[in-house]
Amino acid sequence: MTASSPPGLARFNAAGQDAARAALHEICTSTAWADDVLAGRPYHDAEELLTASDAAVARLGEAALAEAMAGHPPIGRPRPGDAVSAREQRGMADAPAALRAEVAALNLAYQERFGHVFLICATGLTAEQLRDALRRRLGNTAEREREVLRGELAGINRLRLARLAVQAPAGEGTARP
């Protein structure tokens, strides 16, 4: 580990292929993305890792992008036990019932229109902002939405990788990503 390497990044670089792949799978379920990111190890710093992730997202074909999206629950409905998605979607947690119902209906309309889950980097967004994004993006063409979706996936992966990179070893008081 270099002086500038955070502890999580040093562990990721030193991990065996299977362990590193499992850590990446927790971040993004696209096998192609994980393969690309793994191929760049070792990373000298977190920014190099994030840049590699962005490039890997940009190279994802349709099947790999669909595989990545399949790993994300709908907004407002994180999977039971999925602390990461629950944390990222915190803005929906205390939303009034009417707003939650509206977001659920918009999620369904989005899935019917585009054939996949609505993906957004929800960290820090309120329920109203999430609803408004759903409304806006329902008006996108399929091509425009694919571009937006790719950018959102890159943002989600960046946030999750940044948490992985700074993660302290178990027992040092830093929560897992």
Side-chain angles (χ1 to χ4, degrees), residues 42-98:
Y43 292 99
H44 296 97
D45 56 36
E47 191 54 41
E48 185 180 13
L49 173 62
L50 299 178
T51 299
S53 173
D54 290 347
V57 168
R59 287 190 292 272
L60 292 178
E62 291 302 312
L65 199 51
E67 184 182 25
M69 288 184 294
H72 291 273
I75 292 296
R77 292 192 343 238
R79 291 181 188 101
D82 184 351
V84 173
S85 288
R87 178 179 58 239
E88 291 169 349
Q89 295 186 28
R90 189 174 294 136
M92 287 298 299
D94 296 324

Side-chain angles (χ1 to χ4, degrees), residues 8 28 30 42 71 86 96 102 110-111 113 124 128 142:
C28 180
S30 168
E102 184 179 5
Y110 181 95
Q111 284 186 283
R113 174 158 165 65
E128 291 83 3

Side-chain angles (χ1 to χ4, degrees), residues 3-19:
S4 63
S5 289
L9 180 60
R11 274 194 319 285
F12 174 71
N13 282 333
Q17 193 78 354
D18 290 343

Side-chain angles (χ1 to χ4, degrees), residues 30-160:
S30 168
T31 304
W33 174 83
D35 287 346
D36 270 3
V37 173
L38 283 171
R41 288 192 311 160
Y43 292 99
H44 296 97
D45 56 36
E47 191 54 41
E48 185 180 13
L49 173 62
L50 299 178
T51 299
S53 173
D54 290 347
V57 168
R59 287 190 292 272
L60 292 178
E62 291 302 312
L65 199 51
E67 184 182 25
M69 288 184 294
H72 291 273
I75 292 296
R77 292 192 343 238
R79 291 181 188 101
D82 184 351
V84 173
S85 288
R87 178 179 58 239
E88 291 169 349
Q89 295 186 28
R90 189 174 294 136
M92 287 298 299
D94 296 324
L99 181 54
R100 292 178 67 79
E102 184 179 5
V103 168
L106 288 166
N107 268 325
L108 182 58
Y110 181 95
Q111 284 186 283
E112 288 174 358
R113 174 158 165 65
F114 295 109
H116 54 77
V117 69
F118 172 73
L119 188 67
I120 188 167
C121 187
T123 300
L125 298 181
T126 66
E128 291 83 3
Q129 289 170 316
L130 293 167
R131 178 205 54 210
D132 294 348
L134 264 160
R135 285 178 177 166
R136 267 191 319 275
R137 287 176 52 191
L138 271 166
N140 284 346
T141 64
E143 296 78 23
R144 173 68 184 133
E145 185 55 22
R146 189 64 70 186
E147 292 171 26
V148 172
L149 180 100
R150 198 176 290 276
E152 296 294 335
L153 178 62
I156 293 165
N157 289 358
R158 277 182 152 263
L159 285 173
R160 291 176 176 184

